[in-house]
Amino acid sequence: MTTKTVEKEHGIEDCVGRVLASPVACTVLLEALVEHLVDEQKMWDPKWARTVGVAVRVGGTLAFARTRTR
């Protein structure tokens, strides 16, 4: 007799929440995203335009916030 394990589906919000709860997970995600967009030439692919735009906005927002809070 064979037992099959079935994982329950979960929403993307669960994954996002888990990543946001961990500085290490956030770092890994951001590094992987930058590498993916740059090394894979995705930053020039129109279907990735929204993602690239958000990444640029994040970078700019963080840079601006750091200059204002120090």
Side-chain angles (χ1 to χ4, degrees), residues 3-22:
T3 303
K4 183 177 179 181
T5 303
V6 177
E7 290 187 31
K8 288 185 176 183
E9 289 289 325
H10 60 274
I12 192 73
E13 296 81 13
D14 294 334
C15 294
V16 171
R18 285 181 166 183
V19 170
L20 290 177
S22 168

PDB file of all heavy atoms in Angstrom, residues 3-22:
ATOM      1  N   THR A   3       1.214   5.429   0.267  1.00  0.00           N
ATOM      2  CA  THR A   3       0.567   6.630   0.789  1.00  0.00           C
ATOM      3  C   THR A   3       1.063   7.827   0.001  1.00  0.00           C
ATOM      4  O   THR A   3       2.257   8.001  -0.186  1.00  0.00           O
ATOM      5  CB  THR A   3       0.898   6.828   2.280  1.00  0.00           C
ATOM      6  OG1 THR A   3       0.505   5.657   2.987  1.00  0.00           O
ATOM      7  CG2 THR A   3       0.192   8.038   2.833  1.00  0.00           C
ATOM      8  N   LYS A   4       0.148   8.638  -0.474  1.00  0.00           N
ATOM      9  CA  LYS A   4       0.500   9.820  -1.243  1.00  0.00           C
ATOM     10  C   LYS A   4       0.261  11.054  -0.386  1.00  0.00           C
ATOM     11  O   LYS A   4      -0.809  11.218   0.187  1.00  0.00           O
ATOM     12  CB  LYS A   4      -0.343   9.886  -2.512  1.00  0.00           C
ATOM     13  CG  LYS A   4       0.007  11.041  -3.399  1.00  0.00           C
ATOM     14  CD  LYS A   4      -0.834  10.995  -4.678  1.00  0.00           C
ATOM     15  CE  LYS A   4      -0.484  12.175  -5.555  1.00  0.00           C
ATOM     16  NZ  LYS A   4      -1.282  12.179  -6.766  1.00  0.00           N
ATOM     17  N   THR A   5       1.279  11.907  -0.305  1.00  0.00           N
ATOM     18  CA  THR A   5       1.160  13.156   0.440  1.00  0.00           C
ATOM     19  C   THR A   5       0.760  14.255  -0.524  1.00  0.00           C
ATOM     20  O   THR A   5       1.390  14.438  -1.561  1.00  0.00           O
ATOM     21  CB  THR A   5       2.496  13.524   1.114  1.00  0.00           C
ATOM     22  OG1 THR A   5       2.898  12.449   1.955  1.00  0.00           O
ATOM     23  CG2 THR A   5       2.362  14.795   1.923  1.00  0.00           C
ATOM     24  N   VAL A   6      -0.277  14.972  -0.180  1.00  0.00           N
ATOM     25  CA  VAL A   6      -0.758  16.063  -1.017  1.00  0.00           C
ATOM     26  C   VAL A   6      -0.642  17.352  -0.216  1.00  0.00           C
ATOM     27  O   VAL A   6      -1.169  17.453   0.886  1.00  0.00           O
ATOM     28  CB  VAL A   6      -2.228  15.841  -1.442  1.00  0.00           C
ATOM     29  CG1 VAL A   6      -2.733  17.029  -2.256  1.00  0.00           C
ATOM     30  CG2 VAL A   6      -2.372  14.541  -2.203  1.00  0.00           C
ATOM     31  N   GLU A   7       0.093  18.312  -0.785  1.00  0.00           N
ATOM     32  CA  GLU A   7       0.217  19.605  -0.123  1.00  0.00           C
ATOM     33  C   GLU A   7      -1.004  20.460  -0.440  1.00  0.00           C
ATOM     34  O   GLU A   7      -1.490  20.449  -1.564  1.00  0.00           O
ATOM     35  CB  GLU A   7       1.475  20.325  -0.595  1.00  0.00           C
ATOM     36  CG  GLU A   7       2.746  19.685  -0.106  1.00  0.00           C
ATOM     37  CD  GLU A   7       3.961  20.532  -0.448  1.00  0.00           C
ATOM     38  OE1 GLU A   7       3.832  21.776  -0.503  1.00  0.00           O
ATOM     39  OE2 GLU A   7       5.013  19.942  -0.645  1.00  0.00           O
ATOM     40  N   LYS A   8      -1.469  21.182   0.560  1.00  0.00           N
ATOM     41  CA  LYS A   8      -2.589  22.088   0.347  1.00  0.00           C
ATOM     42  C   LYS A   8      -2.095  23.329  -0.377  1.00  0.00           C
ATOM     43  O   LYS A   8      -1.002  23.820  -0.117  1.00  0.00           O
ATOM     44  CB  LYS A   8      -3.209  22.505   1.686  1.00  0.00           C
ATOM     45  CG  LYS A   8      -3.988  21.422   2.364  1.00  0.00           C
ATOM     46  CD  LYS A   8      -4.656  21.986   3.595  1.00  0.00           C
ATOM     47  CE  LYS A   8      -5.540  20.939   4.242  1.00  0.00           C
ATOM     48  NZ  LYS A   8      -6.245  21.491   5.403  1.00  0.00           N
ATOM     49  N   GLU A   9      -2.911  23.808  -1.280  1.00  0.00           N
ATOM     50  CA  GLU A   9      -2.606  25.057  -1.962  1.00  0.00           C
ATOM     51  C   GLU A   9      -2.736  26.208  -0.968  1.00  0.00           C
ATOM     52  O   GLU A   9      -3.532  26.158  -0.040  1.00  0.00           O
ATOM     53  CB  GLU A   9      -3.575  25.275  -3.126  1.00  0.00           C
ATOM     54  CG  GLU A   9      -3.352  24.345  -4.276  1.00  0.00           C
ATOM     55  CD  GLU A   9      -2.078  24.657  -5.048  1.00  0.00           C
ATOM     56  OE1 GLU A   9      -1.704  25.836  -5.178  1.00  0.00           O
ATOM     57  OE2 GLU A   9      -1.454  23.693  -5.508  1.00  0.00           O
ATOM     58  N   HIS A  10      -1.954  27.230  -1.180  1.00  0.00           N
ATOM     59  CA  HIS A  10      -2.091  28.423  -0.363  1.00  0.00           C
ATOM     60  C   HIS A  10      -1.938  29.638  -1.268  1.00  0.00           C
ATOM     61  O   HIS A  10      -1.387  29.556  -2.354  1.00  0.00           O
ATOM     62  CB  HIS A  10      -1.063  28.454   0.779  1.00  0.00           C
ATOM     63  CG  HIS A  10       0.357  28.441   0.316  1.00  0.00           C
ATOM     64  ND1 HIS A  10       1.037  27.274   0.032  1.00  0.00           N
ATOM     65  CD2 HIS A  10       1.212  29.442   0.066  1.00  0.00           C
ATOM     66  CE1 HIS A  10       2.257  27.565  -0.357  1.00  0.00           C
ATOM     67  NE2 HIS A  10       2.387  28.864  -0.365  1.00  0.00           N
ATOM     68  N   GLY A  11      -2.449  30.749  -0.792  1.00  0.00           N
ATOM     69  CA  GLY A  11      -2.424  31.967  -1.589  1.00  0.00           C
ATOM     70  C   GLY A  11      -1.052  32.610  -1.600  1.00  0.00           C
ATOM     71  O   GLY A  11      -0.231  32.385  -0.710  1.00  0.00           O
ATOM     72  N   ILE A  12      -0.802  33.407  -2.617  1.00  0.00           N
ATOM     73  CA  ILE A  12       0.459  34.122  -2.729  1.00  0.00           C
ATOM     74  C   ILE A  12       0.672  35.044  -1.533  1.00  0.00           C
ATOM     75  O   ILE A  12       1.805  35.300  -1.123  1.00  0.00           O
ATOM     76  CB  ILE A  12       0.532  34.889  -4.075  1.00  0.00           C
ATOM     77  CG1 ILE A  12       1.938  35.400  -4.355  1.00  0.00           C
ATOM     78  CG2 ILE A  12      -0.442  36.044  -4.105  1.00  0.00           C
ATOM     79  CD1 ILE A  12       2.903  34.317  -4.747  1.00  0.00           C
ATOM     80  N   GLU A  13      -0.415  35.512  -0.941  1.00  0.00           N
ATOM     81  CA  GLU A  13      -0.306  36.387   0.228  1.00  0.00           C
ATOM     82  C   GLU A  13       0.403  35.684   1.374  1.00  0.00           C
ATOM     83  O   GLU A  13       1.122  36.323   2.148  1.00  0.00           O
ATOM     84  CB  GLU A  13      -1.686  36.864   0.685  1.00  0.00           C
ATOM     85  CG  GLU A  13      -2.419  37.723  -0.324  1.00  0.00           C
ATOM     86  CD  GLU A  13      -3.128  36.913  -1.412  1.00  0.00           C
ATOM     87  OE1 GLU A  13      -3.278  35.674  -1.277  1.00  0.00           O
ATOM     88  OE2 GLU A  13      -3.517  37.528  -2.417  1.00  0.00           O
ATOM     89  N   ASP A  14       0.198  34.370   1.509  1.00  0.00           N
ATOM     90  CA  ASP A  14       0.894  33.609   2.555  1.00  0.00           C
ATOM     91  C   ASP A  14       2.399  33.629   2.319  1.00  0.00           C
ATOM     92  O   ASP A  14       3.189  33.803   3.245  1.00  0.00           O
ATOM     93  CB  ASP A  14       0.413  32.156   2.593  1.00  0.00           C
ATOM     94  CG  ASP A  14      -1.041  32.038   3.025  1.00  0.00           C
ATOM     95  OD1 ASP A  14      -1.521  32.942   3.753  1.00  0.00           O
ATOM     96  OD2 ASP A  14      -1.685  31.052   2.638  1.00  0.00           O
ATOM     97  N   CYS A  15       2.794  33.455   1.074  1.00  0.00           N
ATOM     98  CA  CYS A  15       4.221  33.489   0.738  1.00  0.00           C
ATOM     99  C   CYS A  15       4.802  34.879   0.999  1.00  0.00           C
ATOM    100  O   CYS A  15       5.882  35.006   1.572  1.00  0.00           O
ATOM    101  CB  CYS A  15       4.436  33.113  -0.722  1.00  0.00           C
ATOM    102  SG  CYS A  15       4.003  31.417  -1.125  1.00  0.00           S
ATOM    103  N   VAL A  16       4.077  35.896   0.582  1.00  0.00           N
ATOM    104  CA  VAL A  16       4.532  37.267   0.790  1.00  0.00           C
ATOM    105  C   VAL A  16       4.702  37.548   2.280  1.00  0.00           C
ATOM    106  O   VAL A  16       5.707  38.112   2.718  1.00  0.00           O
ATOM    107  CB  VAL A  16       3.562  38.281   0.145  1.00  0.00           C
ATOM    108  CG1 VAL A  16       3.901  39.711   0.547  1.00  0.00           C
ATOM    109  CG2 VAL A  16       3.566  38.129  -1.368  1.00  0.00           C
ATOM    110  N   GLY A  17       3.727  37.150   3.064  1.00  0.00           N
ATOM    111  CA  GLY A  17       3.800  37.359   4.512  1.00  0.00           C
ATOM    112  C   GLY A  17       4.994  36.668   5.139  1.00  0.00           C
ATOM    113  O   GLY A  17       5.669  37.233   5.998  1.00  0.00           O
ATOM    114  N   ARG A  18       5.270  35.451   4.699  1.00  0.00           N
ATOM    115  CA  ARG A  18       6.420  34.724   5.236  1.00  0.00           C
ATOM    116  C   ARG A  18       7.726  35.408   4.874  1.00  0.00           C
ATOM    117  O   ARG A  18       8.639  35.518   5.693  1.00  0.00           O
ATOM    118  CB  ARG A  18       6.430  33.293   4.719  1.00  0.00           C
ATOM    119  CG  ARG A  18       5.403  32.425   5.377  1.00  0.00           C
ATOM    120  CD  ARG A  18       5.488  31.025   4.828  1.00  0.00           C
ATOM    121  NE  ARG A  18       4.744  30.109   5.668  1.00  0.00           N
ATOM    122  CZ  ARG A  18       4.689  28.824   5.475  1.00  0.00           C
ATOM    123  NH1 ARG A  18       5.340  28.267   4.472  1.00  0.00           N
ATOM    124  NH2 ARG A  18       3.986  28.061   6.273  1.00  0.00           N
ATOM    125  N   VAL A  19       7.833  35.869   3.640  1.00  0.00           N
ATOM    126  CA  VAL A  19       9.060  36.560   3.220  1.00  0.00           C
ATOM    127  C   VAL A  19       9.217  37.863   3.998  1.00  0.00           C
ATOM    128  O   VAL A  19      10.293  38.162   4.509  1.00  0.00           O
ATOM    129  CB  VAL A  19       9.061  36.809   1.697  1.00  0.00           C
ATOM    130  CG1 VAL A  19      10.195  37.739   1.298  1.00  0.00           C
ATOM    131  CG2 VAL A  19       9.178  35.491   0.951  1.00  0.00           C
ATOM    132  N   LEU A  20       8.143  38.636   4.110  1.00  0.00           N
ATOM    133  CA  LEU A  20       8.227  39.915   4.809  1.00  0.00           C
ATOM    134  C   LEU A  20       8.551  39.774   6.292  1.00  0.00           C
ATOM    135  O   LEU A  20       9.062  40.704   6.911  1.00  0.00           O
ATOM    136  CB  LEU A  20       6.920  40.697   4.633  1.00  0.00           C
ATOM    137  CG  LEU A  20       6.658  41.230   3.227  1.00  0.00           C
ATOM    138  CD1 LEU A  20       5.304  41.924   3.175  1.00  0.00           C
ATOM    139  CD2 LEU A  20       7.767  42.168   2.774  1.00  0.00           C
ATOM    140  N   ALA A  21       8.286  38.615   6.847  1.00  0.00           N
ATOM    141  CA  ALA A  21       8.575  38.384   8.270  1.00  0.00           C
ATOM    142  C   ALA A  21      10.050  38.077   8.521  1.00  0.00           C
ATOM    143  O   ALA A  21      10.471  38.014   9.672  1.00  0.00           O
ATOM    144  CB  ALA A  21       7.711  37.230   8.786  1.00  0.00           C
ATOM    145  N   SER A  22      10.824  37.920   7.453  1.00  0.00           N
ATOM    146  CA  SER A  22      12.218  37.516   7.605  1.00  0.00           C
ATOM    147  C   SER A  22      13.164  38.430   6.842  1.00  0.00           C
ATOM    148  O   SER A  22      13.114  38.485   5.614  1.00  0.00           O
ATOM    149  CB  SER A  22      12.397  36.085   7.085  1.00  0.00           C
ATOM    150  OG  SER A  22      13.764  35.760   6.953  1.00  0.00           O
TER     151      SER A  22
END
